[in-house]
Amino acid sequence: MTNSLTTAVAAVRALRLVLEYAGLGFALEEGPAPGGCRLRLAPSAAHPWTHGDVRAHLLAEGITVEAARLEDHSARPGGELVLTLLSEGEVRALGRLLETRLTGVQNAALQLHRALAAIGVERHVDIQAVGSRALIDIGVFGPDEATLLHRGLGGDESALRGLDLAEWRDHERFARALERVVAATGLAQLVESVPVCGQCREWHGGHRVRFDYLDADDALLLADTLIRAAASAGSAQVPRTLP
């Protein structure tokens, strides 16, 4: 795969990620030109440019697209707008525009997703309604992912020596060590060891680590810590916005 094709694929993936965290109904397809894509998109009040003269709205933002509205959009996913972006630059520009319209919690979830990817943990970060608040749920971590998180937060590797994470008591000790590492970032975050019975490990893997919900500020703090640690280790570097 050539470098230009690699960056074009990365641009489309980055756009898809922003669309997912924006909560928009969409479908991405291969475009007619190399580096571009075709996007079917449901109009949204949170993104005013999706209403009215879409092409003119985007042109005012410096983004050139071909735009059309479907007469019958019920048979295809993604809604009634069809945008054709002809270059990698336009794909990235649309991603940046969408990102500026994310809510605080949507943006925090996106940044945490990128930060986790920077340390080798690929997962979607969920946004949950808890009472009147929107909070972030990063889910549960298996032994390998939890170890990557411990390392990514700058945890002392010596604290893990001699621990058998298949043994629940050792796994509980590991959870406490991870909780201390998280606390060192400034977060008062509950980290819980979740046992998995022997019969279930074949399907679910080893014992799990579960985190309490995060608010947007805590999620951004955790993301920033992970990205800085990954950058200093030279393992990865994930930008906060699309390049």
Side-chain angles (χ1 to χ4, degrees):
M1 184 178 291
T2 65
N3 185 62
S4 59
L5 183 56
T6 301
T7 59
V9 169
V12 173
R13 286 177 178 169
L15 175 59
R16 179 185 298 276
L17 192 62
V18 176
L19 286 162
E20 288 174 353
Y21 281 100
L24 297 174
F26 73 94
L28 268 175
E29 304 170 357
E30 186 175 343
C37 67
R38 181 171 286 114
L39 171 63
R40 296 176 180 271
L41 185 67
S44 167
H47 300 271
W49 60 266
T50 60
H51 298 273
D53 190 340
V54 174
R55 185 175 180 279
H57 291 329
L58 289 177
L59 192 59
E61 299 287 346
I63 305 170
T64 302
V65 302
E66 296 176 5
R69 294 188 184 275
L70 296 177
E71 293 297 327
D72 178 13
H73 57 88
S74 59
R76 296 298 300 270
E80 66 180 68
L81 273 179
V82 181
L83 306 180
T84 303
L85 297 98
L86 298 176
S87 72
E88 177 188 335
E90 305 302 337
V91 172
R92 292 187 180 277
L94 183 61
R96 286 194 295 268
L97 176 62
L98 286 163
E99 194 164 336
T100 63
R101 290 284 184 171
L102 295 179
T103 66
V105 72
Q106 287 172 340
N107 176 63
L110 172 62
Q111 304 309 332
L112 189 50
H113 180 118
R114 289 172 173 167
L116 288 169
I119 63 168
V121 178
E122 293 286 350
R123 66 173 50 208
H124 186 83
V125 177
D126 289 330
I127 298 173
Q128 303 284 352
V130 181
S132 61
R133 305 177 68 194
L135 298 176
I136 291 171
D137 179 10
I138 58 176
V140 296
F141 291 76
D144 292 341
E145 292 179 326
T147 301
L148 286 172
L149 185 60
H150 182 273
R151 184 181 302 128
L153 290 170
D156 184 358
E157 295 284 341
S158 66
L160 307 185
R161 291 191 192 126
L163 294 183
D164 180 358
L165 298 186
E167 295 294 331
W168 185 40
R169 291 188 183 278
D170 276 357
H171 194 270
E172 281 190 311
R173 295 186 183 98
F174 170 63
R176 299 287 70 75
L178 183 55
E179 189 173 53
R180 288 191 294 272
V181 171
V182 172
T185 69
L187 293 176
Q189 180 70 12
L190 175 64
V191 180
E192 180 185 5
S193 175
V194 181
V196 176
C197 71
Q199 291 181 334
C200 298
R201 288 178 197 169
E202 182 178 346
W203 296 278
H204 302 293
H207 302 310
R208 306 290 200 183
V209 168
R210 181 166 56 207
F211 285 77
D212 199 2
Y213 291 123
L214 297 162
D215 64 21
D217 290 340
D218 286 346
L220 286 173
L221 176 59
L222 183 59
D224 183 66
T225 302
L226 290 170
I227 287 175
R228 285 190 287 106
S232 64
S235 59
Q237 191 167 15
V238 181
R240 285 199 171 278
T241 57
L242 292 169

